[in-house]
Amino acid sequence: MRDIAFRQQVVTTLLLLLITFGLWFTAEPLFAAPAKWLAEVLLTTWLPGIVNGTISEPGALLIVTHFTDTNGAIALANEGEDGLAFRLNTRLVSYAIPFYAALLWGSRVDSPFNTFAWGLFVLWACMGIGLSAMAAKDLMLVIGEPFLGAAWVAPAPVIAVSYQFSVLLMPTLAPVLLWVLQLRGSPLWTRLEAQLESSRNRE
């Protein structure tokens, strides 16, 4: 019976993945909006002399800088002159939300709505930091020394690793870790503990 219940859990999660990713694909700007706002706050507070602001687009976030490109040379933009802008693909980090939703709603946890709401806040924070890391990578490659020489800017290798982690690992790792933490005490967690204990006893 435990194996059947666990298989049902897996099947339910897989079916929910189709639903949650479908909703995410059509409403991604709504799901990513809090993370975009947080990224703007982080970047404009952290780099006020470099980042002028952000512009939200469907599936993207434009980072507008105080710099311009004049005949291949990067320099501060004059007053009234448009600054360089970098477009970040927010879908690279926002798919963490439908992945997390399928994991959580496929599990029988206590107070699922409250649990999901807390999880969303954590994921939005991770996404906002991830978007900031993506922006830092673009600023490092295009703006160069004016950015790397600014106060509180990490060395280039740290920025590169942060970018890779934010794009390649965070969107899948954060939902799984969050789900495991919230799963404690649920029927699925109890079954898994019982199966693990049974395996140890057989050994």
Side-chain angles (χ1 to χ4, degrees), residues 49-118:
I50 294 176
V51 176
N52 187 23
T54 67
I55 300 174
S56 180
E57 296 182 345
L61 180 66
L62 244 61
I63 309 298
V64 184
T65 72
H66 290 291
F67 290 81
T68 187
D69 186 344
T70 305
N71 298 324
I74 302 299
L76 282 171
N78 297 319
E79 186 176 352
E81 189 176 10
D82 292 334
L84 286 171
F86 307 96
R87 179 175 282 102
L88 306 181
N89 184 355
T90 56
R91 293 182 186 273
L92 292 177
V93 294
S94 66
Y95 74 86
I97 292 179
F99 184 40
Y100 166 69
L103 289 173
L104 183 68
W105 290 104
S107 310
R108 287 179 292 174
V109 297
D110 294 332
S111 304
F113 288 99
N114 291 338
T115 302
F116 182 67
W118 279 109

Side-chain angles (χ1 to χ4, degrees), residues 17-29:
L17 280 173
L18 297 175
I19 298 172
T20 56
F21 269 86
L23 291 172
W24 165 77
F25 186 79
T26 57
E28 193 273 347

Side-chain angles (χ1 to χ4, degrees), residues 116-135:
F116 182 67
W118 279 109
L120 272 181
F121 280 106
V122 174
L123 290 182
W124 280 329
C126 292
M127 288 163 54
I129 295 172
L131 289 172
S132 299
M134 292 167 63

Side-chain angles (χ1 to χ4, degrees), residues 6-203:
F6 183 72
R7 284 197 294 269
Q8 289 176 341
Q9 176 79 32
V10 173
V11 171
T12 301
T13 300
L14 291 176
L15 291 175
L16 284 172
L17 280 173
L18 297 175
I19 298 172
T20 56
F21 269 86
L23 291 172
W24 165 77
F25 186 79
T26 57
E28 193 273 347
L30 178 63
F31 292 136
K36 291 179 179 180
W37 172 81
L38 178 59
E40 178 179 21
V41 171
L42 290 174
L43 290 169
T44 54
T45 303
W46 174 36
L47 302 167
I50 294 176
V51 176
N52 187 23
T54 67
I55 300 174
S56 180
E57 296 182 345
L61 180 66
L62 244 61
I63 309 298
V64 184
T65 72
H66 290 291
F67 290 81
T68 187
D69 186 344
T70 305
N71 298 324
I74 302 299
L76 282 171
N78 297 319
E79 186 176 352
E81 189 176 10
D82 292 334
L84 286 171
F86 307 96
R87 179 175 282 102
L88 306 181
N89 184 355
T90 56
R91 293 182 186 273
L92 292 177
V93 294
S94 66
Y95 74 86
I97 292 179
F99 184 40
Y100 166 69
L103 289 173
L104 183 68
W105 290 104
S107 310
R108 287 179 292 174
V109 297
D110 294 332
S111 304
F113 288 99
N114 291 338
T115 302
F116 182 67
W118 279 109
L120 272 181
F121 280 106
V122 174
L123 290 182
W124 280 329
C126 292
M127 288 163 54
I129 295 172
L131 289 172
S132 299
M134 292 167 63
K137 186 267 297 182
D138 286 344
L139 291 170
M140 175 182 68
L141 294 179
V142 179
I143 303 299
E145 186 54 37
F147 166 69
L148 291 172
W152 306 106
V153 172
V158 175
I159 294 174
V161 172
S162 299
Y163 165 76
Q164 292 176 343
F165 176 82
S166 299
V167 173
L168 300 178
L169 294 178
M170 186 280 294
T172 52
L173 186 60
V176 170
L177 291 177
L178 189 59
W179 171 66
V180 170
L181 289 174
Q182 294 178 326
L183 196 63
R184 296 179 65 90
S186 69
L188 177 59
W189 182 271
T190 303
R191 288 197 299 271
L192 292 174
E193 281 188 325
Q195 289 177 343
L196 182 59
E197 184 65 28
S198 177
S199 299
R200 288 176 178 174
N201 293 336
R202 285 197 299 268
E203 293 176 356

